[in-house]
Every structure is written in C-alpha cells, then in structure tokens.
Coordinates of all heavy atoms in Angstrom, one line a residue:
M1 N 89.2 252.1 -113.3 CA 89.5 250.8 -113.9 C 90.5 250.1 -113.2 O 90.5 248.8 -113.0 CB 89.9 251.1 -115.4 CG 89.9 249.8 -116.2 SD 88.3 249.1 -116.3 CE 88.4 248.2 -117.7
K2 N 91.5 250.8 -112.7 CA 92.6 250.1 -111.9 C 92.1 249.5 -110.7 O 92.5 248.4 -110.2 CB 93.7 251.2 -111.5 CG 94.6 251.5 -112.7 CD 95.7 252.4 -112.1 CE 96.7 252.8 -113.2 NZ 97.7 253.7 -112.7
K3 N 91.1 250.2 -110.1 CA 90.5 249.6 -108.8 C 89.8 248.2 -109.1 O 90.0 247.3 -108.4 CB 89.4 250.6 -108.3 CG 88.9 250.1 -107.0 CD 88.1 251.3 -106.3 CE 86.6 251.3 -106.7 NZ 85.9 252.3 -106.0
Y4 N 89.1 248.1 -110.3 CA 88.5 246.8 -110.6 C 89.6 245.8 -110.9 O 89.4 244.6 -110.6 CB 87.5 247.0 -111.8 CG 86.3 247.8 -111.4 CD1 86.1 249.0 -112.0 CD2 85.5 247.4 -110.4 CE1 85.0 249.8 -111.7 CE2 84.3 248.1 -110.0 CZ 84.1 249.3 -110.7 OH 83.0 250.0 -110.3
F5 N 90.6 246.2 -111.6 CA 91.7 245.2 -111.9 C 92.3 244.8 -110.7 O 92.6 243.6 -110.5 CB 92.7 246.0 -112.8 CG 93.8 245.0 -113.2 CD1 93.6 244.0 -114.1 CD2 95.1 245.1 -112.7 CE1 94.6 243.1 -114.5 CE2 96.1 244.3 -113.1 CZ 95.9 243.3 -113.9
G6 N 92.6 245.6 -109.7 CA 93.2 245.2 -108.4 C 92.3 244.2 -107.7 O 92.8 243.2 -107.1
F7 N 91.0 244.6 -107.7 CA 90.0 243.7 -107.1 C 90.0 242.3 -107.7 O 90.0 241.3 -107.1 CB 88.6 244.3 -107.1 CG 87.5 243.5 -106.5 CD1 87.5 243.3 -105.1 CD2 86.6 242.8 -107.3 CE1 86.5 242.5 -104.5 CE2 85.6 242.0 -106.7 CZ 85.6 241.9 -105.3
F8 N 90.0 242.3 -109.0 CA 90.0 241.0 -109.8 C 91.2 240.2 -109.5 O 91.2 239.0 -109.3 CB 90.0 241.3 -111.3 CG 90.1 240.1 -112.1 CD1 89.0 239.2 -112.2 CD2 91.2 239.8 -112.8 CE1 89.1 238.1 -113.0 CE2 91.3 238.7 -113.6 CZ 90.2 237.8 -113.7
V9 N 92.4 240.8 -109.4 CA 93.7 240.2 -109.1 C 93.6 239.5 -107.7 O 94.0 238.3 -107.5 CB 94.9 241.1 -109.2 CG1 96.2 240.4 -108.7 CG2 95.1 241.5 -110.7
V10 N 93.2 240.2 -106.7 CA 93.0 239.7 -105.4 C 92.0 238.6 -105.4 O 92.3 237.5 -104.7 CB 92.6 240.8 -104.4 CG1 92.2 240.3 -103.0 CG2 93.7 241.9 -104.2
L11 N 90.9 238.7 -106.0 CA 89.9 237.6 -106.0 C 90.4 236.4 -106.7 O 90.2 235.2 -106.3 CB 88.7 238.2 -106.8 CG 87.5 237.2 -106.8 CD1 87.0 236.9 -105.4 CD2 86.4 237.8 -107.7
L12 N 91.2 236.6 -107.8 CA 91.8 235.5 -108.4 C 92.9 234.8 -107.6 O 92.9 233.5 -107.5 CB 92.5 235.9 -109.8 CG 93.1 234.9 -110.7 CD1 92.1 233.9 -111.1 CD2 93.8 235.5 -111.8
A13 N 93.6 235.5 -106.9 CA 94.6 234.9 -106.0 C 94.0 234.1 -104.9 O 94.4 233.0 -104.5 CB 95.5 236.0 -105.3
V14 N 92.9 234.6 -104.3 CA 92.2 233.8 -103.3 C 91.5 232.6 -103.8 O 91.6 231.5 -103.2 CB 91.1 234.8 -102.6 CG1 90.2 233.9 -101.7 CG2 91.7 235.9 -101.8
A15 N 90.9 232.7 -105.0 CA 90.3 231.5 -105.6 C 91.4 230.5 -105.9 O 91.1 229.3 -105.8 CB 89.5 231.9 -106.9
T16 N 92.5 230.9 -106.4 CA 93.6 230.0 -106.8 C 94.2 229.3 -105.6 O 94.4 228.1 -105.6 CB 94.7 230.7 -107.5 OG1 94.2 231.3 -108.7 CG2 95.8 229.8 -108.0
S17 N 94.3 230.0 -104.5 CA 94.8 229.4 -103.3 C 93.9 228.3 -102.7 O 94.3 227.4 -102.0 CB 95.1 230.4 -102.2 OG 94.0 231.0 -101.7
A18 N 92.6 228.5 -102.9 CA 91.7 227.5 -102.4 C 91.9 226.1 -103.1 O 91.6 225.1 -102.5 CB 90.2 228.0 -102.7
F19 N 92.4 226.1 -104.3 CA 92.6 224.9 -105.0 C 94.1 224.3 -104.8 O 94.3 223.2 -105.2 CB 92.3 225.0 -106.5 CG 90.8 225.2 -106.7 CD1 90.4 226.5 -107.0 CD2 89.9 224.2 -106.5 CE1 89.0 226.7 -107.2 CE2 88.5 224.5 -106.7 CZ 88.1 225.7 -107.1
T20 N 95.0 225.1 -104.3 CA 96.4 224.7 -104.3 C 96.8 224.3 -102.8 O 98.0 224.0 -102.6 CB 97.3 225.8 -104.8 OG1 97.1 227.0 -104.0 CG2 97.0 226.1 -106.3
V21 N 95.9 224.4 -101.9 CA 96.3 224.1 -100.5 C 96.4 222.6 -100.4 O 95.5 221.8 -100.8 CB 95.2 224.6 -99.5 CG1 95.6 224.1 -98.1 CG2 95.2 226.1 -99.6
T22 N 97.5 222.1 -99.9 CA 97.7 220.7 -99.7 C 97.2 220.3 -98.3 O 97.4 221.0 -97.3 CB 99.2 220.3 -99.8 OG1 99.9 221.0 -98.9 CG2 99.7 220.6 -101.2
H23 N 96.5 219.1 -98.3 CA 96.0 218.6 -97.0 C 97.1 217.9 -96.3 O 97.8 217.1 -96.9 CB 94.8 217.7 -97.2 CG 93.6 218.4 -97.8 ND1 92.8 219.2 -97.0 CD2 93.2 218.6 -99.1 CE1 91.9 219.7 -97.8 NE2 92.1 219.3 -99.0
K24 N 97.3 218.2 -95.0 CA 98.3 217.6 -94.2 C 97.8 216.3 -93.7 O 96.7 216.2 -93.2 CB 98.6 218.5 -93.1 CG 99.8 218.1 -92.2 CD 100.1 219.1 -91.2 CE 100.2 218.6 -89.8 NZ 100.4 219.5 -88.8
K25 N 98.6 215.2 -93.9 CA 98.1 213.9 -93.4 C 98.1 213.9 -91.8 O 99.1 214.3 -91.2 CB 99.0 212.8 -93.8 CG 98.7 212.3 -95.2 CD 99.3 210.9 -95.4 CE 98.6 210.3 -96.6 NZ 98.5 209.0 -96.5
A26 N 97.0 213.5 -91.3 CA 96.9 213.4 -89.8 C 97.7 212.2 -89.4 O 97.7 211.1 -90.0 CB 95.4 213.3 -89.4
K27 N 98.3 212.3 -88.2 CA 99.0 211.2 -87.6 C 98.3 210.7 -86.4 O 98.8 210.1 -85.5 CB 100.4 211.6 -87.2 CG 101.2 212.1 -88.4 CD 101.5 211.0 -89.4 CE 102.4 211.4 -90.5 NZ 102.5 210.5 -91.5
L28 N 96.9 210.9 -86.4 CA 96.2 210.4 -85.3 C 96.0 208.9 -85.3 O 95.6 208.3 -86.3 CB 94.8 211.1 -85.3 CG 94.8 212.6 -85.2 CD1 93.4 213.2 -85.4 CD2 95.4 213.1 -83.9
V29 N 96.4 208.3 -84.2 CA 96.3 206.8 -84.1 C 95.3 206.4 -83.1 O 95.0 207.2 -82.2 CB 97.7 206.2 -83.7 CG1 97.8 204.8 -84.1 CG2 98.8 207.0 -84.4
G30 N 94.7 205.2 -83.2 CA 93.8 204.7 -82.3 C 92.3 205.2 -82.5 O 91.5 205.2 -81.6
N31 N 92.0 205.5 -83.8 CA 90.7 206.0 -84.1 C 89.8 204.8 -84.4 O 90.2 203.8 -84.9 CB 90.8 206.9 -85.3 CG 91.4 208.3 -84.9 OD1 91.3 208.8 -83.9 ND2 92.2 208.7 -85.9
S32 N 88.5 205.0 -84.2 CA 87.5 204.1 -84.6 C 86.6 204.6 -85.7 O 86.3 205.8 -85.7 CB 86.6 203.7 -83.4 OG 87.3 203.1 -82.5
Y33 N 86.3 203.8 -86.7 CA 85.5 204.2 -87.9 C 84.4 203.3 -88.1 O 84.6 202.0 -88.1 CB 86.4 204.3 -89.1 CG 87.6 205.2 -89.1 CD1 88.8 204.8 -88.5 CD2 87.5 206.5 -89.5 CE1 89.9 205.7 -88.3 CE2 88.6 207.4 -89.4 CZ 89.8 206.9 -88.8 OH 90.8 207.8 -88.7
S34 N 83.2 203.7 -88.3 CA 82.1 202.8 -88.6 C 82.0 202.6 -90.1 O 82.3 203.5 -90.9 CB 80.7 203.4 -88.1 OG 80.5 204.6 -88.7
Y35 N 81.6 201.4 -90.5 CA 81.5 201.0 -91.9 C 80.1 201.5 -92.3 O 79.1 201.0 -91.9 CB 81.6 199.5 -92.0 CG 81.6 199.0 -93.4 CD1 82.3 199.5 -94.4 CD2 80.8 197.9 -93.6 CE1 82.2 198.9 -95.7 CE2 80.7 197.3 -94.9 CZ 81.4 197.8 -95.9 OH 81.4 197.3 -97.2
D36 N 80.1 202.4 -93.3 CA 78.8 203.0 -93.8 C 77.9 202.0 -94.6 O 76.8 202.3 -94.8 CB 79.1 204.2 -94.6 CG 79.8 205.3 -93.8 OD1 79.7 205.3 -92.6 OD2 80.6 206.1 -94.4
M37 N 78.5 201.0 -95.1 CA 77.8 200.0 -95.9 C 77.2 198.9 -95.1 O 76.5 198.1 -95.7 CB 78.8 199.4 -97.0 CG 79.4 200.3 -98.0 SD 78.1 201.0 -99.1 CE 77.7 199.5 -100.0
Y38 N 77.3 198.9 -93.8 CA 76.8 197.8 -93.0 C 75.2 197.8 -93.2 O 74.6 198.7 -93.0 CB 77.1 198.0 -91.5 CG 76.6 196.9 -90.6 CD1 77.2 195.7 -90.5 CD2 75.4 197.1 -89.9 CE1 76.7 194.7 -89.8 CE2 74.9 196.1 -89.1 CZ 75.6 194.9 -89.0 OH 75.1 193.8 -88.2
G39 N 74.7 196.6 -93.5 CA 73.3 196.4 -93.7 C 72.8 196.8 -95.0 O 71.6 196.6 -95.3
L40 N 73.6 197.2 -95.9 CA 73.2 197.6 -97.3 C 73.6 196.5 -98.3 O 74.6 195.7 -98.0 CB 73.9 198.9 -97.7 CG 73.5 200.1 -96.8 CD1 74.2 201.4 -97.2 CD2 72.0 200.4 -96.9
P41 N 73.0 196.5 -99.4 CA 73.4 195.5 -100.5 C 74.9 195.8 -100.8 O 75.3 196.9 -101.0 CB 72.5 195.9 -101.7 CG 71.3 196.5 -101.0 CD 71.8 197.3 -99.8
G42 N 75.6 194.7 -101.0 CA 77.1 194.8 -101.3 C 78.0 195.1 -100.1 O 79.1 195.4 -100.3
Q43 N 77.4 194.9 -98.9 CA 78.2 195.2 -97.7 C 79.4 194.3 -97.6 O 80.4 194.7 -97.0 CB 77.3 195.1 -96.5 CG 77.0 193.7 -96.1 CD 76.1 193.7 -94.9 OE1 76.0 194.6 -94.2 NE2 75.6 192.5 -94.5
D44 N 79.4 193.2 -98.2 CA 80.5 192.2 -98.0 C 81.4 192.1 -99.2 O 82.3 191.3 -99.3 CB 79.9 190.8 -97.7 CG 79.2 190.7 -96.4 OD1 79.6 191.3 -95.5 OD2 78.2 190.0 -96.3
D45 N 81.2 193.0 -100.2 CA 82.0 193.1 -101.4 C 83.4 193.6 -101.0 O 83.5 194.6 -100.3 CB 81.5 194.0 -102.5 CG 80.2 193.4 -103.1 OD1 79.9 192.2 -102.9 OD2 79.5 194.2 -103.8
A46 N 84.5 193.0 -101.4 CA 85.8 193.4 -101.1 C 86.1 194.9 -101.5 O 86.8 195.6 -100.8 CB 86.9 192.5 -101.7
A47 N 85.5 195.3 -102.6 CA 85.8 196.6 -103.1 C 85.1 197.7 -102.1 O 85.7 198.7 -101.9 CB 85.2 196.8 -104.5
N48 N 84.0 197.3 -101.5 CA 83.4 198.2 -100.6 C 84.1 198.2 -99.2 O 84.3 199.2 -98.6 CB 81.9 197.9 -100.3 CG 81.1 198.2 -101.5 OD1 81.4 199.2 -102.3 ND2 80.0 197.5 -101.8
I49 N 84.5 197.0 -98.7 CA 85.2 196.8 -97.5 C 86.5 197.5 -97.4 O 86.9 198.1 -96.5 CB 85.3 195.3 -97.1 CG1 83.9 194.8 -96.8 CG2 86.3 195.1 -96.0 CD1 83.9 193.3 -96.5
N50 N 87.2 197.5 -98.6 CA 88.6 198.0 -98.7 C 88.6 199.5 -99.2 O 89.7 200.0 -99.3 CB 89.4 197.1 -99.6 CG 89.6 195.8 -99.1 OD1 89.8 195.5 -97.8 ND2 89.6 194.8 -99.9
N51 N 87.5 200.1 -99.2 CA 87.5 201.5 -99.7 C 87.3 202.4 -98.4 O 86.3 202.4 -97.8 CB 86.2 201.7 -100.6 CG 86.1 203.1 -101.2 OD1 86.9 204.0 -100.7 ND2 85.2 203.3 -102.0
P52 N 88.4 203.2 -98.1 CA 88.3 204.0 -96.9 C 87.2 205.1 -96.9 O 86.7 205.5 -95.9 CB 89.7 204.7 -96.9 CG 90.5 203.9 -97.8 CD 89.6 203.3 -98.8
A53 N 86.7 205.4 -98.1 CA 85.6 206.4 -98.2 C 84.3 205.8 -97.6 O 83.4 206.6 -97.4 CB 85.4 206.8 -99.7
N54 N 84.2 204.5 -97.5 CA 83.0 203.9 -96.9 C 83.0 203.8 -95.4 O 82.2 203.2 -94.8 CB 82.8 202.5 -97.5 CG 82.4 202.5 -98.9 OD1 81.8 203.4 -99.4 ND2 82.8 201.4 -99.6
Y55 N 83.9 204.6 -94.7 CA 84.0 204.6 -93.3 C 84.0 206.0 -92.8 O 84.4 206.9 -93.4 CB 85.4 204.0 -92.9 CG 85.5 202.5 -93.2 CD1 85.9 202.0 -94.4 CD2 85.3 201.5 -92.2 CE1 86.0 200.7 -94.7 CE2 85.4 200.2 -92.5 CZ 85.7 199.8 -93.7 OH 85.8 198.5 -94.0
T56 N 83.3 206.1 -91.6 CA 83.2 207.5 -91.0 C 83.8 207.4 -89.6 O 83.6 206.5 -88.8 CB 81.7 207.8 -90.8 OG1 81.1 207.8 -92.1 CG2 81.5 209.1 -90.2
L57 N 84.6 208.5 -89.3 CA 85.2 208.6 -88.0 C 84.2 208.8 -86.9 O 83.3 209.6 -87.0 CB 86.2 209.8 -88.0 CG 86.9 210.1 -86.7 CD1 87.9 209.1 -86.3 CD2 87.6 211.5 -86.8
V58 N 84.3 207.9 -85.8 CA 83.4 208.1 -84.7 C 84.1 208.4 -83.5 O 83.4 208.8 -82.4 CB 82.5 206.8 -84.5 CG1 81.6 206.6 -85.7 CG2 83.4 205.5 -84.3
G59 N 85.4 208.4 -83.4 CA 86.2 208.8 -82.2 C 87.2 207.8 -81.9 O 87.7 207.1 -82.8
T60 N 87.7 207.8 -80.6 CA 88.8 207.0 -80.2 C 88.3 205.8 -79.3 O 89.1 204.9 -79.0 CB 89.8 207.8 -79.5 OG1 89.2 208.4 -78.3 CG2 90.5 208.8 -80.3
G61 N 87.1 205.7 -79.1 CA 86.6 204.6 -78.3 C 86.3 203.4 -79.1 O 86.4 203.4 -80.3
S62 N 85.8 202.3 -78.4 CA 85.5 201.0 -79.0 C 84.2 201.2 -79.7 O 83.3 201.9 -79.3 CB 85.5 200.0 -78.0 OG 85.0 198.7 -78.5
L63 N 84.0 200.4 -80.8 CA 82.8 200.4 -81.5 C 81.7 199.6 -80.9 O 80.6 199.8 -81.1 CB 83.0 199.9 -83.0 CG 83.8 200.8 -83.9 CD1 84.1 200.1 -85.2 CD2 83.1 202.1 -84.1
G64 N 82.1 198.6 -80.1 CA 81.2 197.8 -79.4 C 80.5 196.7 -80.3 O 79.5 196.2 -80.0
C65 N 81.2 196.4 -81.4 CA 80.6 195.4 -82.3 C 81.1 194.0 -81.8 O 82.2 193.8 -81.5 CB 81.2 195.6 -83.7 SG 80.9 197.2 -84.4
I66 N 80.1 193.1 -81.8 CA 80.4 191.7 -81.3 C 79.8 190.8 -82.4 O 78.6 190.9 -82.7 CB 79.8 191.5 -80.0 CG1 80.5 192.4 -79.0 CG2 80.0 190.0 -79.6 CD1 79.9 192.3 -77.6
G67 N 80.5 189.9 -82.8 CA 80.0 188.9 -83.8 C 81.1 188.5 -84.8 O 82.3 188.8 -84.6
S68 N 80.7 187.9 -85.9 CA 81.6 187.5 -86.9 C 81.1 187.4 -88.3 O 81.7 186.9 -89.2 CB 82.2 186.1 -86.5 OG 81.1 185.2 -86.5
A69 N 79.9 188.0 -88.5 CA 79.3 187.8 -89.9 C 79.6 189.0 -90.8 O 80.0 188.8 -91.9 CB 77.8 187.8 -89.7
H70 N 79.5 190.2 -90.4 CA 79.7 191.3 -91.3 C 80.5 192.4 -90.7 O 80.4 192.7 -89.5 CB 78.3 191.9 -91.7 CG 77.4 190.9 -92.3 ND1 77.5 190.5 -93.6 CD2 76.3 190.3 -91.7 CE1 76.5 189.6 -93.8 NE2 75.8 189.4 -92.7
R71 N 81.3 193.1 -91.5 CA 82.1 194.2 -91.1 C 81.2 195.4 -90.6 O 80.3 195.8 -91.3 CB 83.0 194.7 -92.2 CG 83.9 195.9 -92.0 CD 85.0 195.8 -91.2 NE 85.9 194.7 -91.6 CZ 87.0 194.9 -92.4 NH1 87.3 196.1 -92.8 NH2 87.8 193.9 -92.7
C72 N 81.5 195.9 -89.4 CA 80.8 197.0 -88.9 C 81.7 198.3 -88.7 O 81.2 199.3 -88.5 CB 80.0 196.7 -87.6 SG 81.1 196.6 -86.2
G73 N 83.0 198.0 -88.9 CA 83.9 199.1 -88.7 C 85.3 198.7 -88.5 O 85.6 197.4 -88.5
V74 N 86.2 199.6 -88.2 CA 87.6 199.3 -87.8 C 88.0 200.2 -86.6 O 87.5 201.2 -86.4 CB 88.6 199.6 -89.0 CG1 88.4 198.6 -90.1 CG2 88.6 201.0 -89.5
E75 N 88.9 199.6 -85.8 CA 89.4 200.3 -84.6 C 90.9 200.4 -84.7 O 91.6 199.6 -85.4 CB 89.0 199.5 -83.3 CG 87.5 199.5 -83.1 CD 87.1 198.8 -81.8 OE1 87.9 198.1 -81.3 OE2 86.0 199.0 -81.4
D76 N 91.5 201.2 -83.8 CA 92.9 201.3 -83.7 C 93.6 201.7 -85.0 O 94.6 201.2 -85.5 CB 93.6 200.1 -83.1 CG 93.0 199.7 -81.7 OD1 92.8 200.7 -81.0 OD2 92.8 198.5 -81.5
A77 N 92.9 202.5 -85.8 CA 93.4 202.9 -87.2 C 94.0 204.3 -87.2 O 93.7 205.1 -86.3 CB 92.2 202.8 -88.2
T78 N 94.9 204.5 -88.1 CA 95.4 205.9 -88.4 C 94.6 206.6 -89.4 O 94.1 206.0 -90.3 CB 96.8 205.7 -88.9 OG1 97.6 204.9 -88.0 CG2 97.5 207.1 -89.1
D79 N 94.3 207.9 -89.1 CA 93.5 208.7 -90.0 C 94.3 209.1 -91.2 O 95.5 209.3 -91.1 CB 93.1 210.0 -89.2 CG 92.0 210.7 -89.9 OD1 90.9 210.4 -89.7 OD2 92.3 211.6 -90.8
D80 N 93.7 209.1 -92.4 CA 94.4 209.5 -93.6 C 94.4 210.9 -93.9 O 94.9 211.4 -94.9 CB 93.7 208.8 -94.8 CG 92.3 209.2 -95.1 OD1 91.8 210.1 -94.4 OD2 91.8 208.7 -96.1
G81 N 93.9 211.8 -93.0 CA 93.9 213.2 -93.1 C 92.5 213.7 -93.6 O 92.3 214.9 -93.7
F82 N 91.6 212.8 -94.0 CA 90.3 213.2 -94.4 C 89.2 212.5 -93.7 O 88.1 212.3 -94.2 CB 90.2 212.8 -95.9 CG 91.2 213.5 -96.8 CD1 92.3 212.9 -97.2 CD2 90.9 214.8 -97.2 CE1 93.3 213.5 -98.0 CE2 91.9 215.4 -98.0 CZ 93.1 214.8 -98.4
N83 N 89.5 212.1 -92.4 CA 88.5 211.4 -91.5 C 88.1 210.0 -92.0 O 87.0 209.6 -91.8 CB 87.3 212.3 -91.2 CG 87.6 213.5 -90.4 OD1 88.6 213.4 -89.5 ND2 86.9 214.6 -90.6
H84 N 89.1 209.4 -92.7 CA 88.9 208.0 -93.1 C 90.1 207.2 -92.7 O 91.2 207.8 -92.5 CB 88.7 207.9 -94.6 CG 87.5 208.7 -95.2 ND1 86.2 208.3 -94.9 CD2 87.5 209.8 -95.9 CE1 85.4 209.2 -95.5 NE2 86.2 210.1 -96.1
P85 N 89.9 205.9 -92.5 CA 91.1 205.1 -92.1 C 92.1 205.0 -93.2 O 91.8 204.9 -94.4 CB 90.5 203.7 -91.7 CG 89.3 203.7 -92.5 CD 88.8 205.1 -92.6
D86 N 93.4 204.9 -92.7 CA 94.5 204.7 -93.7 C 94.8 203.2 -93.6 O 95.4 202.7 -92.7 CB 95.7 205.5 -93.2 CG 96.9 205.3 -94.3 OD1 96.9 204.5 -95.1 OD2 97.9 206.1 -94.0
F87 N 94.4 202.4 -94.7 CA 94.5 201.0 -94.7 C 95.9 200.5 -95.0 O 96.1 199.3 -95.0 CB 93.5 200.4 -95.6 CG 92.0 200.4 -95.1 CD1 91.0 200.6 -96.0 CD2 91.8 200.2 -93.8 CE1 89.7 200.7 -95.5 CE2 90.5 200.2 -93.3 CZ 89.4 200.4 -94.2
T88 N 96.8 201.4 -95.3 CA 98.2 201.0 -95.4 C 98.9 200.9 -94.1 O 100.0 200.4 -94.0 CB 99.0 202.1 -96.2 OG1 99.1 203.3 -95.6 CG2 98.4 202.2 -97.6
K89 N 98.2 201.3 -93.0 CA 98.8 201.2 -91.6 C 98.0 200.1 -90.9 O 97.0 199.6 -91.4 CB 98.6 202.5 -90.9 CG 99.1 203.7 -91.6 CD 100.6 203.9 -91.4 CE 101.1 205.2 -91.8 NZ 101.7 205.3 -93.1
T90 N 98.4 199.7 -89.7 CA 97.7 198.7 -89.0 C 96.3 199.2 -88.5 O 96.2 200.4 -88.2 CB 98.5 198.2 -87.8 OG1 98.8 199.3 -87.0 CG2 99.9 197.6 -88.2
Y91 N 95.4 198.3 -88.4 CA 94.0 198.5 -87.9 C 93.4 197.2 -87.4 O 93.9 196.1 -87.8 CB 93.2 199.2 -88.9 CG 92.9 198.4 -90.2 CD1 91.8 197.6 -90.3 CD2 93.9 198.4 -91.2 CE1 91.6 196.8 -91.4 CE2 93.6 197.7 -92.4 CZ 92.5 196.8 -92.5 OH 92.3 196.1 -93.6
T92 N 92.4 197.3 -86.7 CA 91.7 196.1 -86.2 C 90.3 196.1 -86.8 O 89.4 197.0 -86.5 CB 91.6 196.0 -84.7 OG1 92.9 196.2 -84.1 CG2 90.9 194.8 -84.2
P93 N 89.9 195.1 -87.7 CA 88.6 195.1 -88.2 C 87.6 194.6 -87.2 O 88.0 193.7 -86.3 CB 88.7 194.1 -89.3 CG 90.0 193.3 -89.2 CD 90.8 194.2 -88.3
K94 N 86.4 195.1 -87.1 CA 85.4 194.8 -86.2 C 84.2 194.2 -86.9 O 83.7 194.8 -87.9 CB 85.0 195.9 -85.3 CG 86.1 196.5 -84.5 CD 86.7 195.5 -83.5 CE 85.8 195.2 -82.3 NZ 86.3 194.3 -81.3
D95 N 83.6 193.1 -86.5 CA 82.5 192.5 -87.1 C 81.3 192.4 -86.2 O 81.5 192.4 -85.0 CB 82.8 191.1 -87.7 CG 83.9 191.1 -88.7 OD1 83.9 192.0 -89.5 OD2 84.8 190.2 -88.7
R96 N 80.1 192.2 -86.8 CA 78.9 192.1 -86.0 C 77.9 191.3 -86.8 O 77.9 191.3 -88.0 CB 78.4 193.5 -85.8 CG 76.9 193.7 -85.5 CD 76.5 195.0 -85.1 NE 76.6 196.0 -86.1 CZ 76.6 197.3 -85.9 NH1 76.4 197.8 -84.8 NH2 76.7 198.2 -86.9
N97 N 77.1 190.6 -86.1 CA 76.1 189.7 -86.7 C 75.0 190.6 -87.3 O 74.7 191.6 -86.9 CB 75.4 188.8 -85.7 CG 76.4 187.7 -85.3 OD1 77.3 187.4 -86.0 ND2 76.2 187.1 -84.1

C-alpha cells in the first residue's frame, strides 16, 4: 500500500507542476507575424486586428505585403512569449490589397 501511496504522491506532484510553471516572456524583437483573419469575414474589425491571438509567427524576415486595403500582418514586433506579437511594444503594421 505504501508503494501505491508513494506513486500517487509523485504523480500528483508532476501533475501539479504542469499547471504551475510560469511562461517566461520572450524578448525577441524584429519578428514578423501573419494575420490569420486576412481574407475572412470580419478581417477589418478592430477587435480582430488588435487581438494578438489572430497572428502567427512566421520568422524575422519581411512579410512582403504591399498595398493599403487590409491588414496582412505585423513586422518588427516583440514576441509575447506565446508566439504572438506584443502590441504594447512598437511594431509595424503591414497591409495588402
């Protein structure tokens, strides 16, 4: 019985630690993020444009977006630690027709 109790305690400790680990904020600057809502209904809604969860990290290069009609992503942004842009820091919005 002690063996099972010990196993249970170790399992509980591992499970608890999985939920208590804090994510470290990344300080990566100069990242480019594509806008996942581009071409979809609601793409120009301010709530969608200003939501970092609607952006996906694509790297540090340029997005190559040219135009002025719709947001296609952001460049030169700081990562929020979850592969999304941190909109409290500086960034360059990129648009495309």
Side-chain angles (χ1 to χ4, degrees):
M1 190 66 158
K2 282 184 177 182
K3 185 164 91 173
Y4 292 118
F5 181 72
F7 178 73
F8 176 74
V9 169
V10 170
L11 184 63
L12 182 62
V14 170
T16 303
S17 70
F19 294 105
T20 59
V21 173
T22 57
H23 294 280
K24 187 173 130 184
K25 276 204 163 207
K27 297 296 181 192
L28 301 174
V29 198
N31 293 322
S32 295
Y33 300 86
S34 65
Y35 180 50
D36 300 333
M37 296 291 295
Y38 181 80
L40 298 176
Q43 71 179 352
D44 296 323
D45 292 347
N48 290 329
I49 289 174
N50 296 322
N51 183 354
N54 290 332
Y55 293 82
T56 302
L57 177 67
V58 294
T60 56
S62 176
L63 291 174
C65 303
I66 299 173
S68 61
H70 303 285
R71 173 76 54 94
C72 73
V74 295
E75 293 179 347
D76 301 320
T78 301
D79 195 89
D80 68 357
F82 300 97
N83 291 328
H84 300 291
D86 183 353
F87 287 142
T88 64
K89 309 278 193 261
T90 60
Y91 62 93
T92 305
K94 299 300 284 185
D95 297 325
R96 155 173 67 194
N97 290 336

